[in-house]
Amino acid sequence: MSSRTLIGLAATALLGAAPPAHAAIDAADPVSPEGLSVQQAASAAAGNRGAVLMVGHRGSASRPGAFALYARLGRGTHLGPSQRLDTHSAFAPQVAVGSDGTVVAAWTGESRGSDGAVRFAIAEPGKPFGRAQSLSGSGRAALGDVAVSATGRALIVTRTRTADPTVQAFIRARRHRFGTPQSLGISRYYLPAAAAASDGTFVVSWLDTPVPPAPPPAPYTPGPAVVRAATLGTAASRFGPAAALGELSFWFSGPEAASGPGGAAIAWRQTYAEKRLVAVADARVLGAPVSLAIPMPPSGEGQPDELALGLPATGPTVALWHEVGGVSGDVFRVTSSVVKASVRSADGTFPPADTISTPGALAGQPQAAALTDRVLAAWGESVRGRTARVCVTVDAGRGARSGSRCLRAPAVDPNTVDVAAGRSFGLVSWIERGADPAGDGRLYLATYQR
């Protein structure tokens, strides 16, 4: 899914006479049902529709009740009432929205006693979610990603739980059922990623890792692994052959997918401290990889987390990531963590990044999503280990922290910050925990209106 994006335009001229961005970022309010302890959440938006999912339980941390999955749909920044989608055990929810208003939610849950079924629910344009269903033919599978095109065509990608885990793609035309799965390739260790480009093309990517020897020798160095991708054009009914995007001698994580009004992209870590981006071109083929160099922290211990990509239609691609530094000892001690951003230049390259998080603060992993002409990003951070907040920014291109606002969030879980964006609005959500990390959680939402 997928899920899973940043800041704004590189040039002031592209923003025109827009009002200051901070004036349009509203204070956060709780949006989860009263008494629900939220454990996981997901959000998505496109066009003029947004969606928020939340999984949680009622009761205390020591005696939790049954888990349930809730959803709220909205027009722009105004969310409607909560709707319960599933009362079985549900986890790892994902949601995607098409600009026509189609919403697809997916999660892993129970079905007739099986705890490995992929479940889904669909909200047609202007309507609430229909009943939850199990994805036919998925068997015991892990949910990979969800995507919806501008015309309401939907994609759910899974990975089978078999000896040779297979990447499977389920396609649904608008107002139809999901068809039988298409097998795309093998991915033994990481879940596949998927995105919908602005022209309706779907792209799925996965890491094809070698079969480990049995038993593996000591020491055992795996590799090389191949990053593969397959695309499905708007008029096609089946994915084309998988293409090799790159080879990793030492692989660390699977590829990621991102999409926005400006297209779709696949990103992966080519080496320990580098990522490469691959965009979906207008001709529905994957463009040549563009290198994004992320230097190793001086200590050699910290490492960059996943990329967040913003892909606006009338601005450049923006990349955000999280860099952690520290000192070694019996336990690695974090001494710095910052959010950095690089705006893709006119020649297609990414220049050295700027730090955009608060100086001296410990920042968390950023998330981002693109509006039509700018990108919205957010991350959690703390100052001197006491003051917790969520910082939201638009337009890193006009200078670090331009148009930013930090919102008080005293119990924020920085790993739960999420960002979604439609045509002219954005949603920033996060979970706040109680004093006990496993205690009560509320889902908070701040909105941005262009």
Side-chain angles (χ1 to χ4, degrees), residues 39-402:
Q39 304 299 307
Q40 297 175 326
S43 63
N48 198 35
R49 201 173 199 194
V52 175
L53 300 185
M54 58 202 97
V55 171
H57 63 78
R58 297 187 183 276
S60 66
S62 59
R63 297 179 62 87
F67 276 76
L69 173 65
Y70 290 83
R72 293 186 68 175
L73 298 175
R75 182 175 175 82
T77 59
H78 303 288
L79 293 181
S82 297
Q83 181 182 359
R84 189 164 59 185
L85 299 186
D86 203 341
T87 56
H88 298 285
S89 174
F91 57 94
Q94 296 196 41
V95 62
V97 181
S99 57
D100 72 328
T102 301
V103 185
V104 176
W107 61 97
T108 303
E110 294 180 348
S111 178
R112 297 180 182 177
S114 171
D115 62 358
V118 174
R119 306 265 289 162
F120 72 93
I122 298 170
E124 302 291 356
K127 299 190 182 282
F129 278 106
R131 67 180 181 86
Q133 306 173 60
S134 294
L135 195 60
S136 177
S138 65
R140 290 182 57 83
L143 174 61
D145 219 339
V146 183
V148 180
S149 74
T151 59
R153 198 182 194 192
L155 166 71
I156 296 179
V157 181
T158 68
R159 190 189 66 178
T160 62
R161 301 185 185 190
T162 56
D164 289 319
T166 303
V167 176
Q168 294 190 317
F170 297 78
I171 304 295
R172 173 191 179 264
R174 184 175 172 179
R175 299 186 185 279
H176 288 76
R177 296 178 180 273
F178 280 99
T180 57
Q182 300 178 35
S183 296
L184 303 183
I186 302 295
S187 183
R188 293 178 180 83
Y189 297 100
Y190 300 104
L191 292 172
S198 50
D199 67 351
T201 299
F202 285 127
V203 57
V204 178
S205 185
W206 62 95
L207 192 62
D208 187 350
T209 51
V211 178
Y220 169 61
T221 301
V226 179
V227 178
R228 298 192 184 278
T231 59
L232 179 74
T234 55
S237 59
R238 299 194 64 82
F239 277 86
L245 304 184
E247 186 174 276
L248 284 66
S249 298
F250 298 93
W251 42 271
F252 303 95
S253 62
E256 305 156 45
S259 62
I266 300 297
W268 68 92
R269 187 176 300 164
Q270 186 76 11
T271 64
Y272 182 74
E274 181 186 350
K275 288 267 189 169
R276 291 179 183 268
L277 311 183
V278 179
V280 176
D282 293 337
R284 293 192 281 276
V285 296
L286 294 170
V290 178
S291 179
L292 175 64
I294 303 176
M296 179 74 68
S299 67
E301 294 286 349
Q303 65 180 30
D305 280 345
E306 290 79 3
L307 284 175
L309 297 175
L311 299 160
T314 57
T317 299
V318 185
L320 294 178
W321 63 89
H322 182 222
E323 285 188 12
V324 178
V327 294
S328 298
D330 293 337
V331 177
F332 176 71
R333 181 169 61 88
V334 174
T335 59
S336 66
S337 58
V338 298
V339 173
K340 291 190 174 182
S342 178
V343 181
R344 193 172 183 179
S345 59
D347 64 2
T349 62
F350 283 90
D354 295 321
T355 298
I356 62 170
S357 54
T358 305
L362 292 178
Q365 171 66 28
Q367 297 293 335
L371 286 72
T372 301
D373 61 352
R374 64 194 68 185
V375 185
L376 180 71
W379 62 90
E381 65 179 33
S382 61
V383 180
R384 291 182 291 275
R386 295 192 301 273
T387 305
R389 57 199 184 189
V390 172
C391 291
V392 186
T393 186
V394 259
D395 182 25
R398 288 193 293 182
R401 307 306 310 282
S402 174

